[in-house]
Amino acid sequence: MEELNFQVEEATIKSIQQAFADGKLIARKLVDFYLHQIERLNPVLRSVIEDTIGTRDKLNNTAGSYALLGSKVQRDASVVDRLRKSGALILGKASLSEWYRFRSLSGVPNGWCARSGKGVVYSCYLVAIVFHSFVNVIESVSVIWDSMWIKQWICNIMVCVSLGSETHSSIICPSVNNSVMGIKPTVGLTSQAGVIPMTPRWDTIGTVLDAVNVLDVIADGLKGKRLGIIRHPFMEKIHGTAESEAFELHIDTLRQRGAQIIDNLKIDQIETILDPNQSGEISIMTAEFKAHINVYLKELDDSPMRSLADIIAFNENNPELVQSEKTNGLGEHEMAILENLAKLSTNGFEKMMKEHKLDAMVTPGSRASAVYAIGGYPVITVPAGYERDGMPFGICFGGLRGSEAKLIEISYAFEQVTKVRKPLSLG
């Protein structure tokens, strides 16, 4: 590291900017330095967390909005506290669709948030995929943050684990699109304390893994497992693609490795479940967001925003936030929706799983996320291949509440057998 002619650890933002301007420093040297320091301090646990998970440090906690820029939480979120006590290094925060895409559900692109820019974000394998982009990582070097190269390094080399919140696909969808393993646990398994809320009855904290060394090595993960294959309506949407071809090959692989395949299963009222307006999922989110965000804001140590009304005043063109402000909690209408959602889960996914004695449901990509969202079920996505343009796709294993251990066993075994993930090219 002698090539660095100044001490990066003590450098200010100004000195780093000047070093780049003078040609004394390039992105590769700086990242190499940080990698060296990270390996020295902690070679295993290197984490990026979502910008909704509170940290009592210089990092922001904003849900992608300028409204909460500079706000201070009272303490680290419970999950962050546990990570730090385990020796993890928190490298930075990851952006998200502003307010979990609840800023506006119509007219704002998925993946857009004020703080991360124009809504063009990056898959580590393909530019301009509108999902999640990493921002604020190593804040002192934000001068070079627009470098595509450094974003790829951070996503695929520097970070072992990303921690995020999921209400409806926020973990498994970006996992699929960045060719990493993502785990959304059963709702209630991980603490939500210190996390900006969306709909707590469905919110859960999960992980995006770039290394399986955080899992226990398990043998015979597929042998004897009963796996239900759900084709409709997911396969129709990928007809003729590389993902469709790979999914068929992966089913054969699962069968050859000892899994019992129960094919062409159906989930009752699946079309209703997959439409959040028809199922009523959006109505519950709208009703619950106001109450829970108001509690969160009032508990902040320092913030110009103390209520949802304050946020709306700050950012006037937010129809869904305005709609949420008009609600008064869970009334008779909302309770009827919740009862119907429970029936959809009980008579759909749960009934299918129990009738066929399944260990997991298998679907391509993250398209079944609504099934897992409304019932609080766990799901794991694993890299499954790449489209002809290089865009990654995945395969999902989902189960009944509390079945994380079994899903990890199946997913890990699949990952070890297929090994389809391609290391990111740094060229």
Side-chain angles (χ1 to χ4, degrees), residues 38 49 137 205 210 291 311 349 368 394:
I38 289 168
I49 60 179
V137 178
I205 297 293
D210 190 33
I311 294 171
F349 178 68

Side-chain angles (χ1 to χ4, degrees), residues 30-98:
L30 189 60
V31 174
D32 283 343
F33 174 83
Y34 274 104
L35 287 174
H36 173 79
Q37 293 296 85
I38 289 168
E39 291 298 329
R40 179 175 65 84
L41 294 170
N42 191 319
V44 178
L45 287 175
R46 308 192 294 270
S47 304
V48 162
I49 60 179
E50 190 181 64
D51 189 22
T52 59
I53 302 175
T55 55
R56 182 71 176 181
D57 51 27
K58 294 182 179 180
L59 296 174
N60 277 292
N61 316 280
T62 71
S65 171
Y66 277 117
L68 290 185
L69 194 62
S71 62
K72 300 295 182 184
V73 296
Q74 294 182 358
R75 62 189 68 84
D76 281 343
S78 295
V79 288
V80 174
D81 182 58
R82 294 185 66 179
L83 275 174
R84 293 195 199 274
K85 287 177 179 177
S86 299
L89 298 177
I90 308 299
L91 298 184
K93 292 288 182 75
S95 73
L96 67 157
S97 298
E98 188 172 333

Side-chain angles (χ1 to χ4, degrees), residues 142-153:
S142 58
V143 61
I144 58 170
W145 181 239
D146 283 336
S147 164
M148 180 61 184
W149 182 85
I150 195 173
K151 289 179 182 179
Q152 293 174 334
W153 263 71

Side-chain angles (χ1 to χ4, degrees), residues 7 18 68 75 102 105 135 199 206 223 289 312 395 423:
Q7 292 295 319
Q18 191 62 50
L68 290 185
R75 62 189 68 84
F102 216 58
L105 299 177
V135 295
T199 309
K223 190 174 181 180
F289 180 68
I312 293 171
I395 188 169

Side-chain angles (χ1 to χ4, degrees), residues 369-380:
S369 58
V371 175
Y372 306 115
I374 65 173
Y377 307 116
V379 59
I380 298 179

Side-chain angles (χ1 to χ4, degrees), residues 273 339-354 374-375 377:
I273 292 170
E339 184 178 346
N340 183 58
L341 287 169
K343 288 179 180 178
L344 288 173
S345 292
T346 301
N347 299 329
F349 178 68
E350 287 191 21
K351 181 180 179 181
M352 180 200 68
M353 291 290 292
K354 292 174 181 177
I374 65 173
Y377 307 116

